[in-house]
C-alpha cells in the first residue's frame, strides 16, 4: 500500500499510481463506514481549503465543503468573478499567495484550452497541493467516486466486467469532455474492458486516447471504440452515457449545435438498458438532461446508481484531502 501522498497535487487521473488510487479508495471506504456510525474523523483539524470556482457547481462545492467540515477543517468558497483575477491576478500569484493562506487549493476551471493550463500554473507556484475540481481535460474526483461506486455494486475485482462510456444527446449546453476522458484513462487500470461509443464528431482528445490505449495494454484489458450505441450496450455490466460538447471538432457553437442535433436518438431509455446485462448499472455524474440524455424511467429506476455516485464524491474527496493535506 502506498500511503505517502502528503503534498501531492491531483490534476490528472494518472498523477496517482494505481496503488495510490487503491489507498484513496481504502481510505474512502473507511471514512464512509465511520460516517455511518457517527465516528469523528478530525484528520485535518484547523486546516483550510481554498475552493476557487470559475464555473457553477452543485455536487462539487457541496461535497468539498461538507468534506472539509467532517475532517475538522474549513473550506473557503471563492468565485473567480468576485476576485481580482479579471483585473490581473495571475495563476502564479494565486499559487504563491493562496499557497501561503491555505493548506490546499481546489480549482474548477473548465474553459476549453485554458482550465488545465491554469491549474498547472497555479500548482507550479503553490507550496500546497492543488486539487482538480474539474478542468477542460479531466474530472478526477468524479472518476474516483465512480470507481468506488462500481466497486460497491460489482465487487473490488472488476476484471472481465464490461464498461460502456458513451456519448449522449443533450440540448442544455455543450457539456465538458472531462468525465469521459478521466474514465477512459483510469478505468482500464482496474481491469474493466472498456467500450467507448460516440458519433464520429465526438472523439476524445488524441493524447487522451493514446493514454487510454497505453493503460489498456499495460493492464491487459480491452479498449474498443464504436459509433453504435446499441452495439456498445450489449451485455454491458456498467453503462455510463453522458453528453459532451463538439468543441474538439468545431469552435463554432452554431455548427456544434447542428452537429449535435443529428444524434437525438442517442438517449438511454428502457429499450436500450435491456440490451445490457439484467444487473447492469446506469451511471451519470449529473446534472442530466432528463428525457433527452436519459429517460426518467432509467435515471429513477432500479439500475440507476446516480445518488451513490454523488454521495461517494464526498468520501473520495475526504480521502484525497486527508492524504495530501495532513
Ligand atoms: N458531477 C459534478 O461535478 O457535479 P457539479 O457540476 O454539480 O459539481
Amino acid at each position: 500500500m502506498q500511503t505517502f501522498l502528503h503534498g501531492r497535487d491531483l490534476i490528472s487521473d494518472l498523477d496517482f499510481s494505481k496503488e495510490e488510487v487503491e489507498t484513496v479508495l481504502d481510505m474512502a471506504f473507511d471514512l464512509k463506514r465511520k460516517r455511518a456510525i457517527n465516528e469523528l474523523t478530525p484528520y485535518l483539524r484547523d486546516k483550510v481549503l481554498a475552493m476557487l470556482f470559475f464555473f457553477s457547481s452543485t455536487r462539487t462545492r457541496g461535497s468539498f465543503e461538507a468534506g472539509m467540515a467532517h475532517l475538522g477543517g474549513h473550506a473557503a468558497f471563492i468565485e473567480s468573478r468576485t476576485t481580482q483575477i479579471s483585473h490581473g491576478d495571475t495563476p502564479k500569484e494565486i499559487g504563491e499567495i493562496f499557497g501561503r493562506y491555505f493548506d490546499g487549493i481546489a480549482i474548477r476551471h473548465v474553459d476549453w484550452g485554458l482550465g488545465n493550463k491554469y491549474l498547472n500554473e497555479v500548482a507550479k507556484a503553490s507550496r500546497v497541493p492543488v486539487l482538480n475540481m474539474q478542468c477542460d481535460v479531466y474530472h478526477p474526483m468524479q472518476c474516483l467516486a465512480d470507481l468506488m461506486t462500481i466497486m460497491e455494486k460489482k465487487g473490488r475485482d472488476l476484471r472481465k466486467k464490461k464498461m460502456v462510456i458513451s456519448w449522449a444527446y443533450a440540448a442544455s449546453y455543450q457539456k465538458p469532455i472531462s468525465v469521459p476522458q478521466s474514465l477512459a484513462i483510469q478505468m482500464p487500470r482496474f481491469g474493466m474492458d472498456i467500450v467507448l461509443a460516440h458519433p464520429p464528431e465526438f472523439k476524445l482528445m488524441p493524447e487522451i486516447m493514446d493514454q487510454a490505449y497505453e493503460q489498456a495494454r499495460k493492464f491487459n484489458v480491452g479498449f474498443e471504440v464504436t459509433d453504435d450505441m446499441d452495439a456498445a450496450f450489449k451485455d454491458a455490466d456498467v453503462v455510463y452515457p453522458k453528453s459532451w460538447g463538439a468543441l474538439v471538432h468545431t469552435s463554432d457553437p452554431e455548427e456544434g449545435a447542428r452537429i449535435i442535433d443529428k444524434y437525438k436518438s442517442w438517449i438511454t431509455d428502457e429499450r436500450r438498458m435491456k440490451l445490457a446485462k439484467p444487473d447492469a448499472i446506469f451511471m451519470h455524474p449529473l446534472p442530466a438532461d432528463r428525457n433527452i440524455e436519459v429517460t426518467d424511467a432509467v435515471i429513477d429506476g432500479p439500475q440507476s446508481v446516480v445518488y451513490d455516485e454523488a454521495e461517494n464524491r464526498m468520501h473520495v474527496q475526504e480521502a484525497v484531502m486527508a492524504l495530501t493535506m495532513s
Side-chain angles (χ1 to χ4, degrees):
M1 179 188 272
Q2 296 296 320
T3 55
F4 190 70
L5 289 161
H6 176 78
R8 292 268 296 278
D9 301 320
L10 180 52
I11 297 176
S12 158
D13 300 80
L14 303 184
D15 286 348
F16 289 1
S17 68
K18 177 177 186 252
E19 229 178 310
E20 288 166 344
V21 171
E22 280 168 350
T23 303
V24 170
L25 293 170
D26 285 343
M27 179 106 189
F29 282 116
D30 187 51
L31 284 159
K32 188 168 185 176
R33 264 192 303 274
K34 286 182 168 143
R35 183 157 171 74
I37 55 170
N38 204 24
E39 191 175 319
L40 300 185
T41 55
Y43 305 133
L44 293 180
R45 246 189 85 177
D46 303 328
K47 303 268 184 180
V48 188
L49 174 77
M51 300 188 303
L52 177 58
F53 281 90
F54 291 77
F55 189 71
S56 53
S57 164
T58 304
R59 283 144 290 271
T60 303
R61 178 189 176 180
S63 54
F64 264 102
E65 201 160 327
M68 268 309 280
H70 299 154
L71 295 172
H74 172 73
F77 173 62
I78 303 163
E79 281 186 287
S80 67
R81 64 180 177 81
T82 65
T83 70
Q84 301 281 31
I85 288 172
S86 65
H87 299 151
D89 281 336
T90 65
K92 181 177 179 213
E93 286 162 0
I94 294 294
E96 274 284 355
I97 296 164
F98 277 12
R100 296 173 191 220
Y101 299 158
F102 298 103
D103 301 286
I105 306 171
I107 304 174
R108 168 169 281 197
H109 193 332
V110 300
D111 288 357
W112 184 245
L114 299 178
N116 185 262
K117 185 167 176 284
Y118 187 90
L119 265 75
N120 279 294
E121 285 177 11
V122 173
K124 206 167 148 202
S126 167
R127 62 182 68 181
V128 300
V130 169
L131 305 179
N132 187 350
M133 296 196 292
Q134 189 177 25
C135 68
D136 49 333
V137 184
Y138 307 110
H139 198 350
M141 304 299 173
Q142 182 65 51
C143 191
L144 289 171
D146 295 334
L147 187 53
M148 181 176 182
T149 308
I150 294 170
M151 286 178 172
E152 285 175 340
K153 307 300 175 190
K154 300 288 172 193
R156 284 196 77 155
D157 181 3
L158 297 173
R159 196 151 278 280
K160 299 286 167 216
K161 299 287 183 208
K162 174 178 172 181
M163 177 173 189
V164 177
I165 305 166
S166 177
W167 185 84
Y169 175 74
S172 58
Y173 70 109
Q174 302 228 8
K175 301 188 185 195
I177 201 168
S178 50
V179 169
Q181 298 205 138
S182 283
L183 296 170
I185 60 176
Q186 183 72 276
M187 295 306 179
R189 304 206 289 180
F190 288 85
M192 280 181 286
D193 294 318
I194 307 297
V195 176
L196 173 66
H198 58 72
E201 296 88 345
F202 293 88
K203 290 185 173 68
L204 304 187
M205 293 166 66
E207 50 270 47
I208 293 294
M209 291 303 293
D210 289 346
Q211 290 177 47
Y213 284 127
E214 188 188 330
Q215 296 305 316
R217 262 195 309 275
K218 189 168 166 191
F219 290 94
N220 198 25
V221 299
F223 196 103
E224 287 172 32
V225 182
T226 177
D227 61 1
D228 184 336
M229 196 177 184
D230 278 355
F233 268 50
K234 197 166 175 332
D235 296 329
D237 297 283
V238 177
V239 296
Y240 202 123
K242 80 168 294 292
S243 182
W244 62 84
L247 291 181
V248 172
H249 187 76
T250 172
S251 56
D252 174 358
E254 282 182 19
E255 169 68 4
R258 266 196 300 279
I259 292 170
I260 288 178
D261 281 351
K262 286 196 290 183
Y263 300 112
K264 284 189 175 168
S265 65
W266 284 61
I267 182 172
T268 302
D269 55 13
E270 286 170 297
R271 179 198 70 79
R272 204 158 249 150
M273 278 306 291
K274 285 200 176 82
L275 298 172
K277 285 190 180 154
D279 64 348
I281 55 172
F282 168 84
M283 305 188 78
H284 195 292
L286 303 178
D289 284 25
R290 280 174 170 261
N291 300 308
I292 296 174
E293 268 185 291
V294 52
T295 61
D296 284 343
V298 171
I299 199 168
D300 295 328
Q303 289 167 279
S304 172
V305 298
V306 296
Y307 298 124
D308 292 321
E309 288 176 82
E311 177 186 343
N312 287 338
R313 287 290 303 275
M314 185 172 72
H315 304 302
V316 296
Q317 288 160 197
E318 286 183 23
V320 169
M321 290 190 288
L323 287 160
T324 60
M325 290 168 57
S326 57

